[in-house]
Amino acid sequence: MESNISINIDRMWSTLMDMAKIGPGIAGGNNRQTLTHEDGEARQLFQKWCNNANLEMNVDELGSMFFLRKGIDNELPPVVIGSHLDTQPTGGKYDGVLGVLAGLEIIRTLNDLDIKTKRPIMIVNWTNEEGCRFAPALMASSGFVGTVDVNQILNTKDLDGKVFKEELAKIGWNGKEKVGSQKMHCYFELHIEQGPILEKENIDIGVVTHGQGLRWLEVELIGVEQHTGTTPMNVRKDAGLVMAKIITEVNNLANNNQPNLVASVGHIEVYPNSRNVIPGKTIFTIDFRSHIDKKLKDIEAKIRSIVSKISEDHKVKFTIKDVANYDPITFDKNCVNFIRNAAKKYNYTYKDIVSGAGHDACAVNTKIPAAMIMCPCVDGISHNEAEEIKKEWALTSTNVLMHAALEAAQ
Ligand code: GLV
Ligand code: MN
Ligand code: MN
């Protein structure tokens, strides 16, 4: 293979900035939540770019988009590069988008240089990685590998009661292809680190060897709505207070299990959400993660008992729903080595790293050999409109992705 070929970073950067114009946020980032009009628009633009790069498209029943660049032997399953174009409600320009558009830039570079690969190369945009509008996260990639049921996904409702399959049809991306039918040889995903390690240590490339497991438990508390002025303190059944106590205890649990556990409550609903009514109902989701499987199981049991004890102490009823459940994962050793070798070849500095976030690669890896590359991000900030990367980080990490994919495709 050609030695140390490079992508065109100026072209890639302007492509990233063009994509960021769709679904602008309010503070320089993006709000392009899955299956919204903006998601539809982003898909159209991406499709146009891929068509111009001579890629063939297939779309599955969950709306995941697969673009194929033919190889020399098209009987062989392709080497796949993917990530997601959907964002958080106050998301950045790079989370997910970098990985998808890096794939496109690699194809453009191979086309420019007229490089033929033995295996075909495929680019994927997975539907609903973020899980903010429809839970769980990593939705379509999990459907693809069969760890989450496709019918369950199609019938999932968002907070407004809108149904996944209807929203998908509304934006016109309800494909015909049966989910999971694409063959894949191996899968690579480039992602921003979303944490501070690489930037702080001045390292070019994170070689992701493991991914944290994660659980989302949705808790519903039922107390009694009553007047805040007239109800004596000792008879209140305050679902808001119980939620606050549970959140504090979950935080204590995480702090007492450092560095092996993180936990937060990011989604809360309070009913009726009126200043002078004691909350009669709350719904909130506890997100907790660890790279140690046993730790996750122990903590889940502890959280369930915290919820039950505090609720019972306050005579509030509770239910707990399991909305996401991903075990810690170890990425494929061969794929990880392709990435390490690629970083070496370009003389980039690199270090092994564990992914704190969930990624489509984590879902894919349960069935198909996969690995991930991380590039630094400024101050480790992500899931925030202020998310930023330097242009040279996009360059180095996309070159590594290209080299790893090319080696795997020969
Ligand atoms: C996906 O962004 C996650 O929640 O880790
Ligand atoms: Mn992401
Ligand atoms: Mn994300």
Side-chain angles (χ1 to χ4, degrees):
M1 200 198 69
E2 272 82 344
S3 67
N4 291 7
I5 56 170
S6 180
I7 59 124
N8 178 338
I9 186 58
D10 291 330
R11 174 174 60 191
M12 178 170 166
W13 197 258
S14 75
T15 303
L16 275 164
M17 294 309 123
D18 284 344
M19 182 55 80
K21 289 179 193 149
I22 300 179
I26 49 171
N30 281 100
N31 179 2
R32 203 169 52 237
Q33 293 178 64
T34 197
L35 309 193
T36 56
H37 171 76
E38 290 76 14
D39 181 19
E41 217 183 300
R43 289 161 177 266
Q44 275 164 22
L45 180 61
F46 181 55
Q47 181 190 12
K48 187 181 95 184
W49 287 334
C50 288
N51 285 349
N52 291 343
N54 296 322
L55 303 181
E56 268 170 39
M57 181 173 78
N58 278 294
V59 181
D60 75 11
E61 289 167 327
L62 294 176
S64 293
M65 305 162 71
F66 304 90
F67 289 95
L68 192 75
R69 182 181 192 261
K70 290 216 166 81
I72 295 165
D73 185 349
N74 293 299
E75 296 296 304
L76 295 173
V79 170
V80 184
I81 295 172
S83 200
H84 59 97
L85 293 174
D86 66 316
T87 76
Q88 290 285 328
T90 54
K93 299 192 279 292
Y94 311 95
D95 173 359
V97 187
L98 177 72
V100 176
L101 298 185
L104 172 62
E105 175 52 38
I106 290 167
I107 299 294
R108 287 170 167 176
T109 303
L110 300 183
N111 289 351
D112 288 350
L113 301 176
D114 200 21
I115 293 177
K116 304 217 170 16
T117 55
K118 184 165 160 214
R119 290 178 181 276
I121 294 185
M122 179 181 276
I123 316 293
V124 190
N125 169 35
W126 298 107
T127 300
N128 188 24
E129 188 275 348
E130 292 291 4
C132 45
R133 183 173 174 207
F134 296 95
L138 325 183
M139 199 177 231
S141 50
S142 301
F144 184 87
V145 292
T147 50
V148 177
D149 179 65
V150 171
N151 270 317
Q152 181 193 318
I153 294 174
L154 289 169
N155 290 301
T156 304
K157 289 186 182 149
D158 72 3
L159 284 178
D160 300 325
K162 296 200 169 129
V163 184
F164 182 100
K165 64 180 168 200
E166 287 159 14
E167 295 299 284
L168 180 62
K170 221 186 264 173
I171 61 165
W173 285 93
N174 49 333
K176 296 267 172 303
E177 185 172 281
K178 199 169 147 14
V179 176
S181 57
Q182 290 288 344
K183 298 272 177 293
M184 296 185 180
H185 174 61
C186 64
Y187 176 89
F188 293 103
E189 183 165 346
L190 163 62
H191 207 283
I192 58 169
E193 182 198 340
Q194 306 182 279
I197 299 166
L198 297 174
E199 186 191 30
K200 206 187 280 169
E201 298 181 15
N202 201 15
I203 304 257
D204 299 319
I205 298 294
V207 179
V208 188
T209 55
H210 294 81
Q212 281 199 122
L214 84 91
R215 302 269 188 280
W216 286 352
L217 295 178
E218 185 182 280
V219 182
E220 180 171 319
L221 302 175
I222 303 289
V224 179
E225 271 174 32
Q226 274 178 297
H227 198 295
T228 51
T230 58
T231 316
M233 289 307 286
N234 63 348
V235 301
R236 295 181 185 215
K237 293 180 181 168
D238 183 338
L241 172 68
V242 172
M243 173 174 72
K245 289 193 173 184
I246 292 170
I247 293 173
T248 305
E249 278 309 305
V250 167
N251 179 257
N252 290 339
L253 200 54
N255 283 323
N256 293 335
N257 280 279
Q258 287 310 294
N260 296 325
L261 178 71
V262 288
S264 265
V265 172
H267 162 231
I268 64 175
E269 296 168 52
V270 180
Y271 297 93
N273 207 15
S274 171
R275 290 177 185 82
N276 44 0
V277 183
I278 297 164
K281 177 167 108 169
T282 52
I283 299 176
F284 56 101
T285 305
I286 305 170
D287 169 320
F288 60 105
R289 311 183 187 209
S290 176
H291 62 287
I292 305 165
D293 196 33
K294 184 175 177 320
K295 177 67 68 184
L296 267 184
K297 293 199 170 90
D298 290 351
I299 293 300
E300 176 167 348
K302 287 205 172 99
I303 289 177
R304 286 179 185 275
S305 94
I306 287 169
V307 171
S308 124
K309 166 123 195 5
I310 300 176
S311 302
E312 278 158 17
D313 285 352
H314 291 267
K315 300 190 172 52
V316 160
K317 295 197 182 85
F318 70 93
T319 50
I320 302 176
K321 212 160 76 185
D322 198 349
V323 284
N325 190 338
Y326 297 106
D327 291 335
I329 60 119
T330 303
F331 283 112
D332 179 76
K333 282 207 168 51
N334 285 331
C335 290
V336 169
N337 271 331
F338 281 129
I339 292 169
R340 217 177 262 131
N341 291 341
K344 271 187 211 162
K345 184 147 172 89
Y346 285 96
N347 274 326
Y348 298 151
T349 52
Y350 61 92
K351 79 176 275 179
D352 288 359
I353 193 166
V354 174
S355 172
H359 295 289
D360 293 311
C362 302
V364 172
N365 187 69
T366 61
K367 200 165 148 199
I368 295 151
M372 291 189 74
I373 301 162
M374 278 180 182
C375 75
C377 66
V378 175
D379 296 332
I381 289 177
S382 179
H383 283 191
N384 183 321
E385 291 199 42
E387 179 183 278
E388 205 39 83
I389 65 170
K390 291 187 183 155
K391 212 166 156 182
E392 63 256 34
W393 298 343
L395 169 68
T396 50
S397 58
T398 306
N399 274 340
V400 169
L401 176 64
M402 175 166 66
H403 194 278
L406 283 174
E407 290 287 303
Q410 293 315 329

